[in-house]
Amino acid sequence: MAVINIRKKEVQVKIVYVGPGRGGKTTNLEYLFGAVRHRIQSDMVSIKTHGDRTLFFDFLPFDLGQIQGYMVKTQLYTVPGQVKYNATRKLVLKGVDGVVFVADSMEVMRDKNIASLENLKENLAFYDLDLYNKFPIVMQYNKRDLAEQGVPILTIETLEQDLNSKLKAPYFEASALSGHNVIATVKKAITMTVVSLQDHFT
Amino acid sequence: MSYILDQEQLDGIEEVLQKDLMDLGLKCVILIDMAGNIIANLDNGQVGHDVYSLAALAAGNFGAVCAMAAIIGEDDFALLFHKGKNENIHFSKVLDDFLLVTIFGNDVSLGYLRLKVDESISKISKIFETTKKV
Ligand SMILES: Nc1nc2c(ncn2[C@@H]2O[C@H](COP(=O)(O)OP(=O)(O)OP(=O)(O)O)[C@@H](O)[C@H]2O)c(=O)[nH]1
Ligand SMILES: [Mg+2]
């Protein structure tokens, strides 16, 4: 549910990071916070368990500057990825304008990635949003760095086949831990979201 | 769903918040939507709260309480109040989609505040009824 403030020439959009538990959603926001903390007054807010698993959400305001004469103010959120936290996950998705789907590249996570995307579809449907009908979403295939450590990871072809064959969303190979493609992912998500808003208005 | 607020509506909302609420001696008034977006934000110039974080947490908190209400078979809680030693926070729903958050010290009477909050909510609701939704 974007808010457009004509007086201030400002758009507020909400982008939510979704994906299986331990996939690296919080790590994405932590990296972004590290990149912007010197120029924002706000803190990153995290509601989590003692074991650092997201319980409710992480939150970070992230401004990308102007797009087409409008100041775009973005609120980034992560949901808890663990299956058992669907009630809070659903709440965070309220009013979502765009999604970053963080898939875990580890081979053992294959089914969890697929289940998480399916759960996203259901949760969006709860808010009358159709994931498969022009919904702004970017795929991030995370933890690519693990290959160097000999951890078996899924190929991009497999990930594309499993998660993106129908969606055909833009995707990024990333490592949230090192920051590789973290900024590229968020920029793409914000641009897509703003463009889709414009399509609604015009 | 998105909505566009024009100059007149925003001025109207801010005027209500200033005259009906801030002038009671409140520290801060924030009008947000249930997604955590900020629509209007006024403060007394002495507090420097991180309103973006407050908005995200307020929307999440309110959402969580309403979800609990649904589980126990209550329709909704239309307002919430948290009392601190020096600062208090009051949340009230405006229509179905918005939340009015007020922060005030112990010098403000809660009863009177509630009365004024109710008044301003009905004024703001009227303004929102003319809002363009897309
Ligand atoms: N090697 C590697 N590890 C990563 C990467 N991204 C995240 N991790 C690690 O994976 C673990 C889980 O990361 P989180 O960011 O907490 O995962 P999450 O998706 O927020 O998990 P939930 O909050 O439970 O949904 C942490 O130990 C991270 O350091 C990555 O790109 N490479
Ligand atoms: Mg997390």
Side-chain angles (χ1 to χ4, degrees):
Chain A
M1 186 153 71
V3 180
I4 296 141
N5 185 325
I6 294 182
R7 181 177 57 178
K8 291 199 213 153
K9 293 209 94 161
E10 182 185 287
V11 192
Q12 284 184 64
V13 295
K14 174 172 182 173
I15 291 181
V16 183
Y17 282 67
V18 179
R22 292 205 147 279
K25 301 176 293 294
T26 298
T27 310
N28 262 275
L29 255 65
E30 282 169 346
Y31 181 85
L32 291 170
F33 181 49
V36 298
R37 68 184 317 163
H38 61 283
R39 59 180 167 91
I40 59 169
Q41 292 105 349
S42 323
D43 239 338
M44 175 166 160
V45 175
S46 294
I47 307 181
K48 58 189 177 189
T49 66
H50 283 302
D52 265 356
R53 306 297 300 272
T54 304
L55 185 62
F56 199 162
F57 59 77
D58 302 298
F59 167 75
L60 178 67
F62 188 85
D63 299 342
L64 197 62
Q66 292 203 348
I67 299 183
Q68 312 225 332
Y70 269 76
M71 191 66 195
V72 180
K73 291 201 168 262
T74 312
Q75 335 280 11
L76 300 179
Y77 287 81
T78 74
V79 297
Q82 293 180 84
V83 174
K84 62 181 172 191
Y85 293 142
N86 200 47
T88 51
R89 181 162 48 242
K90 210 152 121 180
L91 279 177
V92 178
L93 284 167
K94 188 172 172 94
V96 62
D97 298 301
V99 163
V100 173
F101 187 85
V102 181
D104 192 325
S105 292
M106 286 197 287
E107 242 175 56
V108 290
M109 292 297 285
R110 189 170 178 187
D111 293 345
K112 294 232 168 87
N113 288 330
I114 296 170
S116 174
L117 189 66
E118 179 61 25
N119 174 261
L120 171 66
K121 191 192 92 177
E122 285 162 14
N123 283 340
L124 289 178
F126 178 81
Y127 295 115
D128 290 324
L129 295 168
D130 182 356
L131 176 62
Y132 291 101
N133 185 16
K134 295 185 194 159
F135 185 80
I137 181 168
V138 172
M139 304 302 263
Q140 182 186 72
Y141 303 136
N142 191 31
K143 305 197 186 176
R144 299 311 291 174
D145 60 286
L146 285 176
E148 290 150 32
Q149 295 168 43
V151 176
I153 63 168
L154 298 160
T155 63
I156 295 299
E157 291 70 40
T158 307
L159 286 159
E160 279 283 283
Q161 180 70 41
D162 282 356
L163 308 168
N164 207 11
S165 56
K166 202 165 145 200
L167 275 173
K168 306 245 183 295
Y171 74 85
F172 292 90
E173 295 182 44
S175 167
L177 208 51
S178 73
H180 179 242
N181 270 341
V182 167
I183 290 179
T185 307
V186 76
K187 279 191 175 164
K188 186 76 191 172
I190 296 172
T191 318
M192 276 182 85
T193 304
V194 171
V195 168
S196 102
L197 277 176
Q198 278 174 338
D199 292 348
H200 275 290
F201 297 141
T202 47
Chain B
M1 188 189 73
S2 306
Y3 46 92
I4 302 177
L5 295 161
D6 65 27
Q7 166 104 38
E8 219 174 301
Q9 290 169 320
L10 278 165
D11 287 347
I13 289 169
E14 282 182 7
E15 193 185 320
V16 171
L17 296 179
Q18 181 65 46
K19 289 203 178 132
D20 285 13
L21 295 171
M22 286 307 292
D23 289 354
L24 293 178
L26 304 196
K27 304 207 165 152
C28 180
V29 176
I30 314 170
L31 181 69
I32 64 174
D33 69 10
M34 294 297 183
N37 295 306
I38 297 174
I39 290 154
N41 160 34
L42 281 77
D43 69 46
N44 66 358
Q46 284 159 30
V47 292
H49 295 312
D50 174 355
V51 283
Y52 283 98
S53 298
L54 269 173
L57 290 165
N61 182 43
F62 203 81
V65 171
C66 291
M68 286 189 281
I71 290 172
I72 64 169
E74 250 330 293
D75 264 357
D76 221 347
F77 298 118
L79 61 84
L80 278 179
F81 175 56
H82 298 296
K83 183 159 176 43
K85 214 182 284 168
N86 302 309
E87 306 281 328
N88 310 288
I89 303 192
H90 189 276
F91 304 87
S92 316
K93 214 159 127 166
V94 181
L95 299 170
D96 277 338
D97 287 327
F98 305 95
L99 199 57
L100 182 65
V101 183
T102 49
I103 299 173
F104 55 98
N106 292 329
D107 50 329
V108 175
S109 126
L110 180 61
Y112 193 52
L113 175 78
R114 283 200 169 145
L115 194 76
K116 297 304 273 183
V117 162
D118 283 347
E119 274 178 36
S120 37
I121 285 177
S122 55
K123 289 183 195 164
I124 294 169
S125 301
K126 282 209 188 78
I127 299 175
F128 272 128
E129 276 160 17
T130 62
T131 298
K132 206 159 107 194
K133 286 186 190 165
V134 218

